[in-house]
Amino acid sequence: MNISNDQALKDALNSLTREQQRVLGARYTLNISSLVDNPRLKSALQVAVTPESTEQELKDAYKVAKSIATKTYTACGRDADWGLQAEHFIAAACAAVLTPDALVTETFNAAWKAAIQSRMAKNCLMIESDSGELENEADKQYALTEAFLGE
């Protein structure tokens, strides 16, 4: 499968099970998480990306990610602690993929939400570093998805 735009990505993500969405969405987030330094968040992401994680581990990791996303939410919109804003988006992506089934609506796609939140985090980190890099996070996600579907 060749994924070269967001509509193709969304179509591919909609064909995945909830567990597959969790693992792939966590991979999107792991792809950029090394750029922030929060061991609790990184630990929650490891739980999210591991297919064998227990239900209790997933619940605990969700609580951690959600609390970090809530705590860092107030940084968004402030005059610009870009690193903290990136941490917020990474935590929000992690919380999305770990969202318990009881809170999931019919149209909710955890991997898509993680993809968008991860792109926001990447943008914040690019602004913070003033690197001017033209790395396209969407293209990386397309490639990650193609590889995931090929497994």
Side-chain angles (χ1 to χ4, degrees):
M1 176 176 222
N2 183 20
I3 299 173
S4 59
N5 60 58
D6 279 350
Q7 187 58 55
L9 178 64
K10 286 174 85 172
D11 291 344
L13 298 179
N14 284 332
S15 72
L16 300 177
T17 66
R18 283 271 302 129
E19 182 178 328
Q20 289 172 320
Q21 288 178 25
R22 173 177 53 88
V23 171
L24 182 56
R27 287 184 187 180
Y28 296 153
T29 310
L30 275 173
N31 195 41
I32 58 165
S33 68
S34 63
L35 303 172
V36 297
D37 186 31
N38 186 324
R40 292 177 59 229
L41 184 53
K42 289 179 182 182
S43 178
L45 274 170
Q46 283 303 319
V47 171
V49 80
T50 303
E52 299 81 22
S53 293
T54 68
E55 200 64 34
Q56 189 59 51
E57 289 171 327
L58 293 169
K59 286 179 184 177
D60 292 345
Y62 172 75
K63 289 177 184 177
V64 167
K66 189 69 172 171
S67 72
I68 294 169
T70 301
K71 179 182 174 196
T72 56
Y73 178 76
T74 56
C76 293
R78 270 201 331 227
D79 196 29
D81 183 339
W82 295 108
L84 195 55
Q85 288 186 34
E87 185 176 337
H88 164 74
F89 289 118
I90 292 169
C94 185
V97 298
L98 290 165
T99 300
D101 289 339
L103 301 176
V104 172
T105 64
E106 186 178 316
T107 59
F108 180 79
N109 187 301
W112 175 248
K113 187 157 177 111
I116 297 305
Q117 298 287 349
S118 294
R119 291 177 193 181
M120 295 294 291
K122 179 66 175 208
N123 288 341
C124 291
L125 293 167
M126 286 174 42
I127 293 168
E128 179 182 48
S129 69
D130 197 25
S131 67
E133 295 176 13
L134 294 175
E135 293 180 293
N136 188 329
E137 198 61 29
D139 287 339
K140 290 180 183 179
Q141 291 170 350
Y142 302 157
L144 274 170
T145 305
E146 287 176 7
F148 183 82
L149 294 173
E151 291 177 3

